[in-house]
Amino acid sequence: MRNRQPLSLHVPEPRFRPGEEADFGYLNIPPAGAARRPEVDTPASEMRDMCDGLVRVLDESGETVGPWRQEIDPQVLLKALRAMVTTRAYDERMLRAQRQGKSSFYMKSTGEEAVAVAAALALERDDMLFPTYRQQGLLIARDWPLVDMMCQVYSNTRDRLKGRQMPVFYSSREANFFSISGNLATQFSQAVGWAMASAIKGDDRIAAGWIGEGATAEADFHHGMTFAAVYRAPAVLNIVNNQWAISTTQAIAGGEQATFAARAIGYGVAGLRVDGNDFFAVYAATRWAAARARGNYGPTLIELFTYRADAHSTSDDPSRYRPKGEWERWPLGDPIERLKTHLVRRGLWSDEDHAKLMEEAQTTVRAAQQEAEKFGTLQSDTRLNPATMFDDVFREMPPHLQRQKREAGF
Amino acid sequence: MRNRQPLSLHVPEPRFRPGEEADFGYLNIPPAGAARRPEVDTPASEMRDMCDGLVRVLDESGETVGPWRQEIDPQVLLKALRAMVTTRAYDERMLRAQRQGKSSFYMKSTGEEAVAVAAALALERDDMLFPTYRQQGLLIARDWPLVDMMCQVYSNTRDRLKGRQMPVFYSSREANFFSISGNLATQFSQAVGWAMASAIKGDDRIAAGWIGEGATAEADFHHGMTFAAVYRAPAVLNIVNNQWAISTTQAIAGGEQATFAARAIGYGVAGLRVDGNDFFAVYAATRWAAARARGNYGPTLIELFTYRADAHSTSDDPSRYRPKGEWERWPLGDPIERLKTHLVRRGLWSDEDHAKLMEEAQTTVRAAQQEAEKFGTLQSDTRLNPATMFDDVFREMPPHLQRQKREAGF
Amino acid sequence: MAAMTMIQGINAALHEAMGKDGDVVVFGEDVGYFGGVFRCTEGLQRKFGRHRVFDAPIAEGGIVAAAVGMGVYGLRPVVEIQFADYIYPATDQLISEAARLRYRSGGEFTSPMTVRAPYGGGIFGGQTHSQSPEAIFTHVCGLKTVIPSNPYDAKGLLLSAIEDDDPVIFLEPKRLYNGPFDGNFDAPATPWTDHPDSDVPDKTYRIPLGQARIVRPGAAVTVLVYGTMVHVAQAAAAAQGIDCEVVDLRTLLPLDLDTIVASVRKTGRCVIAHEATRTCGFGAELAALVQEHCFYHLEAPIERVTGWDTPYPHIFEREYFPGPERLGAALRRAVEGA
Amino acid sequence: MAAMTMIQGINAALHEAMGKDGDVVVFGEDVGYFGGVFRCTEGLQRKFGRHRVFDAPIAEGGIVAAAVGMGVYGLRPVVEIQFADYIYPATDQLISEAARLRYRSGGEFTSPMTVRAPYGGGIFGGQTHSQSPEAIFTHVCGLKTVIPSNPYDAKGLLLSAIEDDDPVIFLEPKRLYNGPFDGNFDAPATPWTDHPDSDVPDKTYRIPLGQARIVRPGAAVTVLVYGTMVHVAQAAAAAQGIDCEVVDLRTLLPLDLDTIVASVRKTGRCVIAHEATRTCGFGAELAALVQEHCFYHLEAPIERVTGWDTPYPHIFEREYFPGPERLGAALRRAVEGA
Ligand SMILES: Cc1ncc(C[n+]2csc(CCOP(=O)(O)OP(=O)(O)O)c2C)c(N)n1
Ligand SMILES: Cc1ncc(C[n+]2csc(CCOP(=O)(O)OP(=O)(O)O)c2C)c(N)n1
Ligand SMILES: [Mg+2]
Ligand SMILES: [Mg+2]
């Protein structure tokens, strides 16, 4: 079997690069309402098709349609809209603050607000969240004080993390929001460990974890999926597929060969592929997965199909690697606009209300900012006490750190 | 949504423990010939069913049946039988040698001979193999000298690995057989790197990697699958599911929720689930995967469904964790017996021939052993020169190692 | 009071910890029904059930990650890494997560886990069943590292490690599991029963982390050791007839510097021994500290007797192992120096 | 001859290596079309094509594993770990595989890879964009560790690293990428152009691994440094008006011990500085070696000036960074000692 053809390496590329016109026509987006809704106790092996489809509830006209449609209390919908609008306003404001030198760094979640807000509202307040740096909407939807978040971003004297973490790596035990790590993916398998612990103790709280599509390539994703599958951990595991990992296309993470939801199939875990810009879809899918977990039927892997509308972070310049205006062309639209359209259509909301809400959000954020800046910003002279730098390495400070603290002059 | 039921942790257990009677009736084993045979360029998404079925060619009567049936030159079949019988005889002999204190350790592949021998014969001699410690059959089928293998097991003066590696961690560049690592799974992703390199250079050689079902839980499995899928690496990736990982059931690796072949689905990689005790099935599946890889259609994940007939290693005592006689009850039988039955049925072989072959294998192995022992065993006084201990850490020995070598008195 | 092997001492500590605290869980590869490849978890699953003692997938990184999550929930996981050589897949979860969690969360979240792993050579394990990776972890702020040298300490230190609210790497000298080993490969194996430190009280007792133990008082030279080398040091001292002060560190981090400094200031000489490779081994830190704190008392260079900077070679264990001869020569150099 | 930044020097080395040897391939996170988050691989994909320069999945362990396999095939992979803080997921493939392969295969298989990673603090990166993990790798036999301190060395050392047949960890002080930094946070940033070592010849040249460089000869005290600290040491010497002999190690392993010993025997005093945490940092090995080889010449304790044994705190970089003041105080202690 000689004279064989030469092999060649396949290197995936994004469809469009700067200078080109983005056209997402190639994506086949099933219509809203098309996806079936299995019972929450359906064996994973009998719902593999859910990994290739797309759970969508809100159609183009703002109607909620299909089996995943469910009645949601208008108060919850309005709370959701407010949380998403506030999240966007917060992001805008904090980006500006970073540009003004008030913080060293910032990361926005623009376009992905529904991913976090819908999940927060679909889960119970005492369920434990293991997020990435792009789910600030979880905290905001849980009514966590913006001032507290801003104090972390500013690393000021009220930063509960004592100036140790880069901006946006929030942590709040009170909000059941796990400390965000700078190391990608690690929280994903930890979430499964937490869920296992809850099951071991016969508790009824479940865990939810998030991971970016790019980070699914890390070991922790595999470990989280394996442990969740083997021990049927009560966990809702979310992959946020926003198409990009800094400059790298989702295809380099394996998105070209299969959906990210399909990863679930290999582990025998229930998988759902969901329109991440559709509040109703994310809410319904999260509810479904939470019910499955609480019923002891095991974990669910949810791919949230969305788009990173803005730069990866303040250190990034997307115009170097992707066309401008991709976001405007994104076929699944803007999660805030879509929820708004629905509410207006139902007569629960109006353009005036919306303008007012945006105005209020601005005011809230600005007020919080003023309050937070009372405790300083990155630029302030009044800073946290550097002596605290030696605390919390261990529960009690061991002798060598006491020596070093003295050596440092504290 | 309060008064929720308490959660509980699911901890998989093997069906049978010592004292119980093993009964594999619960396994549904499709009949030979039942599995379809897709074209080698079939998109992975169109052959997911292959991950749940079982490619089987040899039926109970020793007939080869179904679409995976292919003509194999009788000379190849006889070579295969000889290689498998020799492998088993070699294992027996080396186990005895270890018991006699001639080596520190040994690992048998009893019951899994077809997995290695069929693959070796289905691949080209210049394809690169990245095995685990349980594919000694690869070397034997490639006619690698038993004496050389034994010298490694004995760590004697002819051990090309200079006494550095534990027994059975063979390595042979000449045989395109990669250095076996004591760290599980690492070779799996390395095999994919080798395959990528071959593709980068426009070469036509492919890589084959093996991993135990237990080790699939390691990061390297995920990395290997991800890289193979993304870059369509020309690699044949084998999971040897022999049901056990030392004392741990395959269910703890995730085998309860899905087949191991199904892992392929999540990555969008072609997957095949194969009767690992069926020489014809393993051969045909490996051929199929190799053709797919050579055609630049990408990698294939093959689950070889088999059973670890003997102890994990000479340090292990399976009677502590599984019933005696499981192997006798294993529904897929003994790979050697099954190939023999086929050959006899075709009139290519007879019980006499077989008795003679077993006799010859014994003789060959015994002769090789005598030859190998000329160069010593673990117990011998004539040993490799300890001064060589400092070689090969780096290409050239750096000053600090030269100092240490002197310090050691060399 | 019962004469126990190291394995039994460890097993006893695990039984006590699980009996006392329902939040202690044990998992790892083959630790459940089978009781661990070295039998350290024997009987735990039978006694405490599969929900608290279970086999884990072969994924050290996943095992430690799960333990981090469980710790956040409020459990006290005790995980086993089958061999210290296989701890590397878990380094990211150990270094970036377990060790950093308390700090980065301002004290809100912690990781009270114990990671047990057999380490060290001398059992023909070759380079992947013989390593001593302690120095990698002692370099990581936020981790404690403990290494017992006998059954009594093993039980007392393991109980302290499990009850400690910070992550502890607990390395068990596998060469000592079934009997003391002084580095003399030709001597017949001796059981623990003949050794005083094999008397392990049934009652609960703890040995605080961070306290060294002077196992042999002496005036001529201070010998800093831990784990297997504690026994080698005593043999070397006896063989050389040198009045060594042998200090068993027991905890590498936090280190009992006071005991070390007091001893070296008294003897004026110091020899350090460990099985790990030399360059950047823990002996380097000890040497640096001793000369920083005892410079004006030192009468000879501090000696390091260690494993060579090569992988642990299967067939050359004897030549690789820092045995009594090499240690003895260093002791002579130290006492004769200056 | 052109004035280059460190980034340009590294980029130039990569261009030359790829141009000269068709077996050199470059991959890592965001290194392809984008050219790397620090732009070190800028232009490589355009010049050499997607088959030789490409983005990798976010899996450091997979990246190094693929590089091992490629090395076995016969390629010379140069991989980028986006930040040294993210190298931990790759430790098993680095320690158990790349470092051991030549040894365990009796020299049959090797791993000629170069692993590039920006390291060190000073850019408000917090604990996960500021680490200096060199000591973890210098402890591992089979790995070489190289750290340049200027554009000229960066190019010459990187070329040697790529052509080296053993695995090399190549750590790039990110704080120096765009200009020298002497630890004075208030001083205006200075560009490389004003620095003599920014003159980078267009022609190929190599700086052999294992050779230190005396960047400032002196008689009063030997200062052992590498990377960013080379500049801090010179600033401290100037500020203190102490006649320091500043040795830029450039390669940590293999170490140029001869140069170190000769210098300390001359000065009788030694100060070591690095940004990494102190305990078991590379400074510990240097202190141990210096006292072993220069004991009778030492007139004062060897000083270590390092990052504290805490994670790198985002807001307290200045207090954490071993700057000229702390180094200066140590220099004074060293010269006044005894
Ligand atoms: C272990 C690790 N490797 C690399 C990085 C650097 N890094 C930070 S964010 C990022 C991209 C992540 O992309 P994705 O997972 O898709 O999440 P997204 O930013 O799109 O929300 C990378 C590579 C890191 N933080 N941690
Ligand atoms: C990284 C790592 N972890 C753990 C071990 C210890 N160990 C050696 S073999 C083995 C079981 C492997 O089972 P499997 O992968 O199914 O292969 P099999 O032995 O059944 O062929 C274990 C846990 C190891 N060698 N490497
Ligand atoms: Mg992304
Ligand atoms: Mg197995």
Side-chain angles (χ1 to χ4, degrees):
Chain A
M1 171 169 172
R2 258 303 170 193
N3 60 47
R4 304 177 300 206
Q5 78 190 82
L7 297 161
S8 78
L9 189 75
H10 171 73
V11 180
E13 269 289 301
R15 302 249 171 169
F16 315 106
R17 286 298 196 184
E20 299 170 329
E21 280 284 311
D23 172 0
F24 293 105
Y26 69 91
L27 292 172
N28 64 42
I29 308 280
R36 72 184 179 105
R37 184 179 189 285
E39 290 306 312
V40 297
D41 61 354
T42 308
S45 57
E46 289 164 29
M47 51 178 287
R48 290 177 169 183
D49 55 302
M50 301 304 298
C51 300
D52 300 321
L54 195 66
V55 173
R56 304 184 61 205
V57 174
L58 271 174
D59 69 13
E60 284 56 31
S61 69
E63 230 4 306
T64 56
V65 297
W68 288 89
R69 174 181 190 292
Q70 83 186 79
E71 275 319 322
I72 302 176
D73 176 342
Q75 288 320 307
V76 174
L77 295 178
L78 293 176
K79 182 177 184 357
L81 188 67
R82 177 172 298 270
M84 291 200 277
V85 167
T86 306
T87 301
R88 191 167 291 184
Y90 174 81
D91 279 348
E92 289 306 334
R93 200 80 199 161
M94 289 296 94
L95 177 75
R96 180 125 24 94
Q98 190 275 345
R99 298 273 181 245
Q100 295 164 340
K102 294 175 177 175
S103 84
S104 61
F105 178 79
Y106 193 71
M107 298 178 98
K108 297 170 74 182
S109 61
T110 312
E112 303 176 40
E113 293 88 352
V115 164
V117 169
L121 297 177
L123 293 165
E124 296 296 316
R125 185 68 166 61
D126 59 359
D127 292 330
M128 186 70 192
L129 314 177
F130 290 80
T132 81
Y133 45 71
R134 227 179 280 284
Q135 284 86 47
Q136 47 267 59
L138 290 170
L139 279 173
I140 290 172
R142 281 193 168 181
D143 301 316
W144 191 252
L146 296 179
V147 175
D148 183 76
M149 294 169 68
M150 288 172 169
C151 289
Q152 196 282 326
V153 171
Y154 287 149
S155 305
N156 67 16
T157 55
R158 281 284 177 95
D159 171 13
R160 285 180 300 99
L161 308 189
K162 308 177 188 176
R164 294 168 187 162
Q165 283 279 65
M166 270 176 82
V168 315
F169 292 161
Y170 309 109
S171 174
S172 170
R173 176 175 269 292
E174 212 183 310
N176 294 309
F177 182 100
F178 184 65
S179 157
I180 294 169
S181 176
N183 300 66
L184 290 170
T186 50
Q187 73 287 349
F188 199 75
S189 41
Q190 292 163 351
V192 173
W194 193 98
M196 288 172 68
S198 187
I200 287 169
K201 299 300 280 187
D203 192 350
D204 60 9
R205 294 174 295 158
I206 64 175
W210 285 261
I211 191 171
E213 94 289 340
T216 59
E218 291 284 4
D220 308 283
F221 174 77
H222 180 52
H223 295 149
M225 292 303 293
T226 302
F227 280 65
V230 168
Y231 303 106
R232 298 193 196 147
V236 180
L237 300 169
N238 302 284
I239 299 174
V240 183
N241 177 5
N242 63 4
Q243 313 305 319
W244 292 94
I246 306 184
S247 76
T248 302
T249 163
Q250 48 82 35
I252 289 286
E256 198 178 42
Q257 313 293 335
T259 68
F260 290 93
R263 294 280 192 284
I265 299 172
Y267 298 95
V269 164
L272 297 173
R273 189 156 172 271
V274 177
D275 175 350
N277 293 7
D278 174 343
F279 173 84
F280 285 87
V282 179
Y283 185 91
T286 307
R287 276 292 180 140
W288 186 95
R292 185 178 179 89
R294 291 190 214 285
N296 251 314
Y297 302 116
T300 303
L301 181 68
I302 300 176
E303 173 183 355
L304 299 146
F305 196 70
T306 181
Y307 185 88
R308 196 194 77 211
D310 212 322
H312 170 73
S313 75
T314 48
S315 318
D316 179 43
D317 171 9
S319 72
R320 301 187 77 119
Y321 53 80
R322 69 182 189 185
K324 290 209 171 51
E326 269 196 12
W327 161 235
E328 291 65 29
R329 289 187 177 65
W330 183 245
L332 294 173
D334 176 338
I336 294 179
E337 282 309 310
R338 287 175 68 187
L339 179 56
K340 176 198 162 205
T341 311
H342 168 81
L343 292 168
V344 171
R345 184 187 177 86
R346 280 176 63 182
L348 294 165
W349 200 244
S350 70
D351 288 340
E352 298 63 42
D353 295 332
H354 201 69
K356 201 155 131 297
L357 172 60
M358 306 238 282
E359 190 46 53
E360 280 167 28
Q362 300 290 350
T363 319
T364 317
V365 169
R366 227 182 280 102
Q369 185 180 26
Q370 275 166 18
E371 176 66 12
E373 293 188 359
K374 287 199 194 126
F375 309 111
T377 72
L378 186 69
Q379 298 156 319
S380 315
D381 304 331
T382 51
R383 297 165 69 229
L384 286 155
N385 175 2
T388 60
M389 169 169 72
F390 294 92
D391 301 336
D392 299 327
V393 179
F394 296 98
R395 177 147 177 260
E396 278 119 27
M397 195 180 297
H400 71 284
L401 275 173
Q402 291 172 20
R403 278 195 306 278
Q404 290 184 18
K405 187 176 177 181
R406 280 194 301 276
E407 192 181 328
F410 303 115
Chain B
M1 169 167 170
R2 257 306 171 188
N3 60 45
R4 305 179 298 208
Q5 77 189 81
L7 297 162
S8 77
L9 189 75
H10 171 74
V11 180
E13 268 289 300
R15 301 248 171 170
F16 315 106
R17 286 297 195 185
E20 298 170 332
E21 280 285 308
D23 171 358
F24 293 105
Y26 70 90
L27 292 172
N28 64 42
I29 308 278
R36 71 185 180 103
R37 184 180 188 285
E39 290 306 311
V40 298
D41 61 355
T42 308
S45 57
E46 289 164 29
M47 51 178 287
R48 291 178 170 184
D49 55 303
M50 301 304 298
C51 300
D52 301 321
L54 195 66
V55 173
R56 305 183 61 205
V57 174
L58 271 173
D59 68 13
E60 283 55 31
S61 68
E63 215 28 289
T64 56
V65 297
W68 288 88
R69 175 181 188 293
Q70 84 186 79
E71 275 320 319
I72 303 176
D73 175 344
Q75 289 320 308
V76 174
L77 297 176
L78 294 177
K79 182 178 186 352
L81 187 68
R82 177 172 296 272
M84 290 200 277
V85 168
T86 306
T87 301
R88 191 166 293 183
Y90 174 81
D91 279 348
E92 288 305 335
R93 200 82 199 159
M94 290 296 94
L95 177 75
R96 181 122 26 93
Q98 192 274 344
R99 297 275 181 243
Q100 295 165 340
K102 294 175 177 175
S103 85
S104 62
F105 178 79
Y106 193 71
M107 298 177 99
K108 297 170 73 182
S109 62
T110 312
E112 303 177 38
E113 293 88 353
V115 163
V117 169
L121 298 178
L123 293 165
E124 297 296 315
R125 185 68 167 62
D126 60 0
D127 291 330
M128 186 71 191
L129 314 176
F130 291 80
T132 82
Y133 44 72
R134 227 178 282 283
Q135 284 87 47
Q136 47 266 58
L138 290 169
L139 279 173
I140 291 171
R142 280 192 169 182
D143 301 317
W144 191 251
L146 297 178
V147 174
D148 184 76
M149 295 169 68
M150 289 172 170
C151 290
Q152 196 281 327
V153 171
Y154 287 149
S155 306
N156 67 16
T157 55
R158 281 284 176 93
D159 171 13
R160 287 180 300 100
L161 308 189
K162 307 177 189 177
R164 294 169 187 161
Q165 282 280 64
M166 268 176 86
V168 316
F169 292 159
Y170 309 108
S171 174
S172 171
R173 176 176 269 294
E174 212 182 309
N176 293 309
F177 182 100
F178 184 65
S179 157
I180 295 169
S181 176
N183 301 67
L184 291 171
T186 49
Q187 74 286 350
F188 199 75
S189 41
Q190 292 163 353
V192 172
W194 193 99
M196 289 171 67
S198 188
I200 287 169
K201 299 299 281 185
D203 193 348
D204 61 10
R205 294 173 296 158
I206 65 175
W210 285 262
I211 190 170
E213 94 290 339
T216 59
E218 291 284 5
D220 309 282
F221 174 77
H222 181 51
H223 296 148
M225 291 304 292
T226 303
F227 280 65
V230 168
Y231 303 107
R232 296 191 197 146
V236 180
L237 300 169
N238 302 284
I239 299 174
V240 182
N241 177 6
N242 62 3
Q243 313 304 320
W244 292 95
I246 307 183
S247 77
T248 302
T249 163
Q250 48 82 36
I252 289 286
E256 199 177 41
Q257 313 292 336
T259 68
F260 289 93
R263 295 279 193 284
I265 299 172
Y267 298 94
V269 165
L272 296 173
R273 189 156 171 272
V274 177
D275 176 349
N277 294 7
D278 175 342
F279 173 84
F280 284 88
V282 179
Y283 185 91
T286 308
R287 276 295 179 138
W288 187 95
R292 185 179 179 89
R294 292 192 212 286
N296 250 316
Y297 303 115
T300 302
L301 182 68
I302 300 176
E303 173 183 356
L304 298 146
F305 196 70
T306 180
Y307 184 87
R308 196 193 78 212
D310 213 322
H312 170 73
S313 75
T314 48
S315 318
D316 179 42
D317 171 9
S319 71
R320 301 187 76 122
Y321 53 80
R322 69 183 189 185
K324 290 211 169 48
E326 268 196 11
W327 162 234
E328 290 65 29
R329 290 188 176 66
W330 183 246
L332 294 174
D334 176 336
I336 294 179
E337 283 309 309
R338 286 176 67 187
L339 180 55
K340 176 199 163 204
T341 312
H342 168 82
L343 292 168
V344 171
R345 185 188 176 85
R346 279 175 62 181
L348 293 165
W349 199 243
S350 70
D351 287 340
E352 299 62 45
D353 295 332
H354 202 69
K356 205 157 127 294
L357 172 59
M358 306 239 283
E359 190 46 52
E360 278 167 28
Q362 300 289 349
T363 321
T364 316
V365 168
R366 227 182 280 105
Q369 185 181 26
Q370 275 167 19
E371 176 68 11
E373 294 188 359
K374 288 203 194 119
F375 309 112
T377 71
L378 187 68
Q379 297 157 319
S380 314
D381 304 330
T382 51
R383 297 165 69 227
L384 287 155
N385 175 1
T388 61
M389 166 170 77
F390 295 91
D391 301 336
D392 299 327
V393 179
F394 296 99
R395 178 145 177 263
E396 279 120 28
M397 194 180 298
H400 70 284
L401 275 173
Q402 291 171 20
R403 278 195 307 276
Q404 292 184 17
K405 186 177 177 180
R406 280 194 300 275
E407 193 181 325
F410 303 116
Chain C
M1 208 66 152
M4 288 191 185
T5 65
M6 196 114 165
I7 291 169
Q8 293 165 325
I10 288 159
N11 187 262
L14 292 170
H15 270 92
E16 276 180 46
M18 294 198 77
K20 242 199 263 41
D21 181 351
D23 289 335
V24 173
V25 295
V26 169
F27 61 105
E29 295 154 21
D30 302 297
V31 304
Y33 182 92
F34 187 53
V37 294
F38 288 104
R39 337 278 332 127
C40 290
T41 58
E42 175 103 64
L44 288 175
Q45 189 181 67
R46 232 176 299 109
K47 180 110 178 265
F48 300 103
R50 270 200 268 137
H51 289 66
R52 290 182 62 197
V53 183
F54 50 88
D55 291 333
I58 303 171
E60 293 73 16
I63 288 167
V64 172
V68 171
M70 291 177 184
V72 169
Y73 177 92
L75 300 187
R76 237 171 232 291
V78 182
V79 302
E80 173 175 307
I81 301 297
Q82 203 161 77
F83 286 85
D85 314 60
Y86 306 139
I87 202 167
Y88 303 121
T91 40
D92 190 46
Q93 283 284 344
L94 284 169
I95 296 177
S96 306
E97 299 297 312
R100 306 278 194 257
L101 188 50
R102 180 188 295 275
Y103 195 79
R104 80 174 195 225
S105 68
E108 277 193 344
F109 296 108
T110 63
S111 193
M113 79 170 76
T114 301
V115 180
R116 295 180 40 246
Y119 87 97
I123 63 159
F124 276 118
Q127 60 173 322
T128 57
H129 303 82
S130 307
Q131 294 175 42
S132 302
E134 64 270 15
I136 287 177
F137 301 108
T138 50
H139 182 48
V140 175
C141 56
L143 295 179
K144 296 182 177 180
T145 301
V146 176
I147 303 183
S149 69
N150 61 68
Y152 180 89
D153 285 2
K155 178 180 171 182
L157 287 168
L158 183 52
L159 276 171
S160 296
I162 294 171
E163 293 170 0
D164 195 279
D165 288 333
D166 290 305
V168 179
I169 307 291
F170 192 87
L171 296 175
E172 304 166 358
K174 68 173 87 71
R175 190 64 173 79
L176 303 183
Y177 268 154
N178 293 306
F181 175 68
D182 65 7
N184 182 342
F185 285 82
D186 297 319
T190 56
W192 272 113
T193 42
D194 307 347
H195 196 288
D197 294 329
S198 70
D199 288 338
V200 178
D202 309 326
K203 68 159 181 44
T204 300
Y205 65 95
R206 296 168 188 78
I207 295 172
L209 305 189
Q211 287 186 15
R213 170 181 174 225
I214 295 175
V215 293
R216 184 197 186 290
V221 52
T222 300
V223 187
L224 303 179
V225 283
Y226 49 89
T228 313
M229 299 308 293
V230 171
H231 303 268
V232 176
Q234 289 165 283
Q240 301 298 327
I242 295 176
D243 184 25
C244 300
E245 179 144 294
V246 178
V247 182
D248 179 352
L249 300 178
R250 303 199 293 194
T251 303
L252 275 55
L253 198 134
L255 183 69
D256 184 353
L257 187 60
D258 295 347
T259 300
I260 293 169
V261 169
S263 176
V264 176
R265 286 189 175 164
K266 179 180 72 178
T267 63
R269 298 155 196 281
C270 180
V271 173
I272 298 157
H274 58 62
E275 211 178 328
T277 52
R278 179 175 305 172
T279 301
C280 289
F282 193 68
E285 178 62 28
L286 290 172
L289 286 170
V290 167
Q291 72 82 32
E292 277 162 20
H293 294 267
C294 311
F295 183 80
Y296 299 103
H297 296 74
L298 280 174
E299 288 163 32
I302 303 159
E303 296 269 348
R304 286 187 290 170
V305 182
T306 69
W308 308 118
D309 286 348
T310 77
Y312 216 113
H314 171 252
I315 199 70
F316 300 126
E317 282 192 348
R318 282 160 170 256
E319 291 80 0
Y320 187 90
F321 189 87
E325 300 72 20
R326 276 167 61 197
L327 185 47
L331 292 172
R332 284 198 307 277
R333 284 194 301 275
V335 291
E336 287 153 15
Chain D
M1 206 67 149
M4 288 192 185
T5 65
M6 196 111 164
I7 291 170
Q8 292 165 326
I10 289 160
N11 187 261
L14 291 169
H15 270 92
E16 277 181 44
M18 293 197 78
K20 245 202 258 32
D21 182 351
D23 290 334
V24 174
V25 294
V26 170
F27 61 104
E29 295 155 21
D30 302 295
V31 303
Y33 182 93
F34 187 53
V37 295
F38 288 104
R39 336 274 338 124
C40 290
T41 57
E42 176 103 64
L44 289 174
Q45 189 180 69
R46 233 177 298 110
K47 180 112 179 265
F48 300 103
R50 269 199 269 138
H51 289 68
R52 290 181 62 197
V53 183
F54 50 89
D55 291 333
I58 303 171
E60 294 74 15
I63 289 167
V64 172
V68 170
M70 291 177 184
V72 169
Y73 177 92
L75 300 187
R76 239 171 230 290
V78 182
V79 301
E80 175 175 306
I81 301 298
Q82 203 162 74
F83 286 85
D85 314 59
Y86 306 138
I87 202 168
Y88 304 121
T91 40
D92 190 46
Q93 283 284 345
L94 284 169
I95 296 176
S96 306
E97 299 297 312
R100 306 278 193 256
L101 189 49
R102 179 188 295 274
Y103 195 79
R104 79 172 196 229
S105 68
E108 277 194 344
F109 296 108
T110 63
S111 193
M113 77 170 77
T114 302
V115 179
R116 295 180 41 248
Y119 87 97
I123 63 159
F124 275 119
Q127 61 174 320
T128 57
H129 302 83
S130 307
Q131 295 174 42
S132 301
E134 64 270 16
I136 288 178
F137 301 108
T138 50
H139 183 48
V140 175
C141 55
L143 295 179
K144 297 183 176 179
T145 302
V146 177
I147 303 183
S149 69
N150 62 67
Y152 180 89
D153 286 1
K155 179 180 171 182
L157 287 167
L158 183 52
L159 276 171
S160 297
I162 294 171
E163 293 170 0
D164 194 280
D165 288 333
D166 291 304
V168 179
I169 308 291
F170 192 88
L171 297 174
E172 303 166 359
K174 69 173 85 71
R175 189 65 174 76
L176 303 183
Y177 267 154
N178 292 305
F181 175 68
D182 65 7
N184 181 344
F185 286 82
D186 297 319
T190 55
W192 273 112
T193 42
D194 307 348
H195 195 288
D197 295 329
S198 71
D199 288 338
V200 178
D202 308 326
K203 67 159 181 45
T204 301
Y205 64 94
R206 295 169 188 77
I207 296 171
L209 306 188
Q211 288 185 14
R213 170 181 174 225
I214 296 174
V215 293
R216 184 195 185 292
V221 52
T222 300
V223 188
L224 303 179
V225 283
Y226 49 89
T228 312
M229 298 308 294
V230 171
H231 304 268
V232 175
Q234 289 165 285
Q240 302 297 326
I242 295 176
D243 184 26
C244 301
E245 178 143 296
V246 179
V247 181
D248 179 353
L249 300 178
R250 301 199 295 193
T251 303
L252 275 55
L253 198 133
L255 182 68
D256 185 352
L257 187 61
D258 296 346
T259 299
I260 294 169
V261 169
S263 177
V264 176
R265 287 189 175 164
K266 179 180 70 177
T267 63
R269 298 158 195 278
C270 180
V271 173
I272 298 158
H274 58 63
E275 210 178 329
T277 52
R278 179 175 304 172
T279 301
C280 287
F282 193 68
E285 179 61 28
L286 290 171
L289 285 170
V290 166
Q291 73 81 33
E292 277 161 21
H293 294 267
C294 311
F295 183 81
Y296 300 102
H297 296 75
L298 280 173
E299 289 162 30
I302 303 159
E303 295 269 349
R304 287 185 289 170
V305 182
T306 69
W308 308 118
D309 286 348
T310 77
Y312 216 114
H314 172 252
I315 200 70
F316 300 125
E317 281 192 348
R318 284 162 171 256
E319 291 81 358
Y320 187 90
F321 190 87
E325 300 72 16
R326 276 166 61 197
L327 185 48
L331 292 172
R332 285 197 306 277
R333 284 195 300 275
V335 290
E336 288 153 13

